[in-house]
Amino acid sequence: MLDGRPLIDVHLHPARRRSLNVDWDTWIQGFDSPALAGLYDGAGDLRPAAFNAYLAAEGVDVAVVLAEYSPKVTGWQTAEDMAALAAANPDRIRFAANVNPHLHFPVAAETQRQLALGAVALKLHPVHGGFAANDRALYPAYEICQSAGIPVVIHFGTSTFPGALNRFADPALLDDVLSDFRSLNVVLAHGGRGWWYDAAAFLALSDPRVWIELSGLPPSRLTTYYAKHNWARLTRQMIFGTDWSGIPGIAANARAVAAFCPDEETARLVLSGNAAAVYHLKPPG
């Protein structure tokens, strides 16, 4: 709980340092600190118990950590890595699967394998993986998630990491997917960051299955990014996420987001209620 509200952060990247394909300073976007360093052991792996304690201190009731198979850009953070981290406290730490159609074939089998490990969502990273969200190779994964009621989280925002292909971050690529999978919940990670805020907002306001996820977006800029849209309506389609560890702190970020919400009910939806419903999570209380 944070300030009397449940808190769910659906977007954390607890990297194994030796599995990264970028240097550490680039990865954490300038937010290194002794406290962050203290969460890691000498081999560069996150210490599960320390990570769980950190989340508790930041007021996080549930955190969703993300696997990512993007060897050309960021490296490998496997579903097994994330499942092992979640085992430290399964009530607080959950994880999302990740598939890359250039690496995983058949995609359906790999999706099912990772979901069987306990994943609560499927994360796709077109910008780092070099594929489009409407690539037909992904359709078996979409069908599995739709049938299971599991959300698909897709990176829709620019990335500054070397090798990223930002042309794949256009939310317009979702049009086919939303038409072909009529009951699939889709979460727009980074909310169209960079060039596509309006496209992301339009999708979220026109389709109740589409959600704006706030990772990597400075809270103080949110009303500017989405200035053309009905803020009161749009916030009710938002889900809190931070993009940890490249942020100053989870609690500070959450408080800032809550301050921009139009009312208390909306703040609770953004900070936990929407995520609880979409990801099927159960924060305390």
Side-chain angles (χ1 to χ4, degrees):
M1 300 282 283
L2 180 68
D3 303 333
R5 303 184 188 101
L7 179 61
I8 298 176
D9 184 345
V10 299
H11 197 116
L12 298 90
H13 292 283
R16 303 179 73 193
R17 294 183 65 160
R18 65 180 178 275
S19 298
L20 288 172
N21 200 34
V22 296
D23 65 79
W24 181 246
D25 289 338
T26 299
W27 176 256
I28 59 172
Q29 304 288 294
F31 290 109
D32 203 359
S33 68
L36 177 60
L39 299 179
Y40 282 81
D41 63 21
D45 291 338
L46 202 62
R47 295 186 291 122
F51 181 56
N52 178 56
Y54 165 79
L55 294 173
E58 290 291 301
V60 178
D61 296 297
V62 184
V64 180
V65 296
L66 307 179
E68 183 175 337
Y69 296 83
S70 301
K72 289 185 177 180
V73 180
T74 55
W76 297 79
Q77 311 299 324
T78 72
E80 285 78 5
D81 294 335
M82 300 301 107
L85 188 59
N89 185 346
D91 291 330
R92 192 189 311 277
I93 307 172
R94 309 300 295 273
F95 74 96
N98 177 262
V99 294
N100 182 331
H102 299 311
L103 301 174
H104 299 127
F105 184 84
V107 163
E110 181 61 18
T111 301
Q112 290 172 325
R113 187 188 72 81
Q114 293 185 41
L115 294 182
L117 295 174
V120 298
L122 173 65
K123 168 75 184 297
L124 299 177
H125 213 310
V127 169
H128 291 169
F131 56 87
N134 60 357
D135 189 324
R136 291 307 192 269
L138 295 169
Y139 269 42
Y142 291 139
E143 180 59 45
I144 289 168
C145 291
Q146 178 174 254
S147 298
I150 289 172
V152 175
V153 184
I154 308 178
H155 178 112
F156 283 114
T158 51
S159 171
T160 59
F161 291 134
L165 299 175
N166 286 312
R167 68 179 182 273
F168 292 124
D170 188 346
L173 295 168
L174 265 184
D175 192 48
D176 292 339
V177 177
L178 293 170
S179 295
D180 293 336
F181 298 92
R182 303 299 299 176
S183 59
L184 181 67
N185 271 300
V186 180
V187 179
L188 309 185
H190 312 298
R193 180 179 61 197
W195 307 325
W196 303 285
Y197 295 116
D198 289 336
F202 176 84
L203 285 173
L205 289 171
S206 60
D207 192 326
R209 300 172 298 142
V210 177
W211 304 86
I212 298 286
E213 189 249 85
L214 300 176
S215 57
L217 303 181
S220 63
R221 300 288 294 167
L222 289 175
T223 54
T224 300
Y225 293 153
Y226 300 108
K228 297 179 182 179
H229 305 276
N230 185 314
W231 180 247
R233 284 187 59 210
L234 187 61
T235 48
R236 297 183 73 86
Q237 287 297 115
M238 288 180 174
I239 292 176
F240 180 74
T242 57
D243 215 15
W244 188 91
S245 54
I247 59 164
I250 297 174
N253 192 293
R255 288 187 174 111
V257 168
F260 282 96
C261 290
D263 52 52
E264 179 62 20
E265 179 186 9
T266 304
R268 287 178 174 269
L269 287 174
V270 175
L271 294 185
S272 65
N274 289 337
V278 173
Y279 292 72
H280 307 293
L281 302 172
K282 294 183 178 180

